[in-house]
């Protein structure tokens, strides 16, 4: 994994490391796609943390990726592939409980308004909390007449 992180640092200027418990978790996990799946997971988790940091206005200092961040990504990925939401939700710091329960097309106007209000109208942060792409959020808002 150090090789993956080194490549991310040189190719995309992402300076990150994993906590020891996150590293152990990744090393012990089952990777049906073998090394490619592990590498894709490392890249995705780091990219998500970079995005979260930039949304929060944090600098570009070295990131430390927690076990919770890894579990939240893997949980959201399982949901994306159609797994049951009841299957091992992430620990604190992950996606909100309501985020993985619905498809974007099932989100109601009230739910979108609540998340947008929570984030003071910031669509990027709202989309992140909901676990959907920004364009998906904007599209759903347009369909519900919220734009």
């Amino acid at each position: 994994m150090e090789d993956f992180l080194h490549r991310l640092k040189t190719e995309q200027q992402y300076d990150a490391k994993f906590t020891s418990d996150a590293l152990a978790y990744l090393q012990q996990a089952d990777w049906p796609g073998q090394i490619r799946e592990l590498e894709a997971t490392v890249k995705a988790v780091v990219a998500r943390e970079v995005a979260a940091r930039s949304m929060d206005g944090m600098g570009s200092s070295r990131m430390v990726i927690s076990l919770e961040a890894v579990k939240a990504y893997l949980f959201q990925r399982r949901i994306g592939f159609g797994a049951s939401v009841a299957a091992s939700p992430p620990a604190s710091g992950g996606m909100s409980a309501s985020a993985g329960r619905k498809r974007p097309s099932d989100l109601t106007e009230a739910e979108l308004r609540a998340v947008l209000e929570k984030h003071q109208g910031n669509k990027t942060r709202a989309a992140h909390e909901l676990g959907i792409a920004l364009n998906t959020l904007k599209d759903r808002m347009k369909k519900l007449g919220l734009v």
Side-chain angles (χ1 to χ4, degrees):
M1 271 182 272
E2 290 299 319
D3 186 46
F4 302 152
L5 293 173
H6 178 71
R7 269 190 264 151
L8 281 172
K9 185 175 181 179
T10 57
E11 293 171 4
Q12 298 182 10
Q13 288 73 48
Y14 293 166
D15 191 11
K17 73 174 193 167
F18 286 88
T19 61
S20 58
D21 56 343
L23 250 170
Y25 184 84
L26 286 168
Q27 290 171 339
Q28 294 175 2
D30 183 34
W31 299 105
Q34 299 177 7
I35 196 74
R36 288 185 187 104
E37 184 179 356
L38 174 60
E39 182 176 17
T41 298
V42 168
K43 286 180 178 180
V45 170
V46 171
R48 283 174 54 130
E49 290 300 302
V50 167
R53 285 182 135 226
S54 71
M55 284 191 319
D56 291 336
M58 298 176 77
S60 61
S61 62
R62 186 164 204 196
M63 291 175 290
V64 178
I65 312 292
S66 68
L67 176 59
E68 290 79 21
V70 171
K71 285 183 175 182
Y73 167 76
L74 292 173
F75 174 73
Q76 189 172 3
R77 188 178 77 174
R78 278 194 303 272
I79 296 301
F81 285 117
S84 166
V85 175
S88 65
S92 65
M95 183 173 57
S96 72
S98 64
R101 292 201 177 123
K102 293 189 173 203
R103 293 181 183 167
S105 60
D106 293 336
L107 290 167
T108 66
E109 180 180 345
E111 290 168 324
L112 289 181
R113 283 187 188 278
V115 172
L116 287 165
E117 184 177 317
K118 175 181 176 183
H119 294 287
Q120 299 160 338
N122 186 311
K123 293 177 188 119
T124 303
R125 290 182 183 166
H128 181 71
E129 178 176 329
L130 291 167
I132 61 175
L134 178 59
N135 287 339
T136 303
L137 174 64
K138 288 178 180 178
D139 183 56
R140 186 68 184 146
M141 289 174 64
K142 186 182 287 184
K143 287 179 181 171
L144 293 173
L146 295 174
V147 233

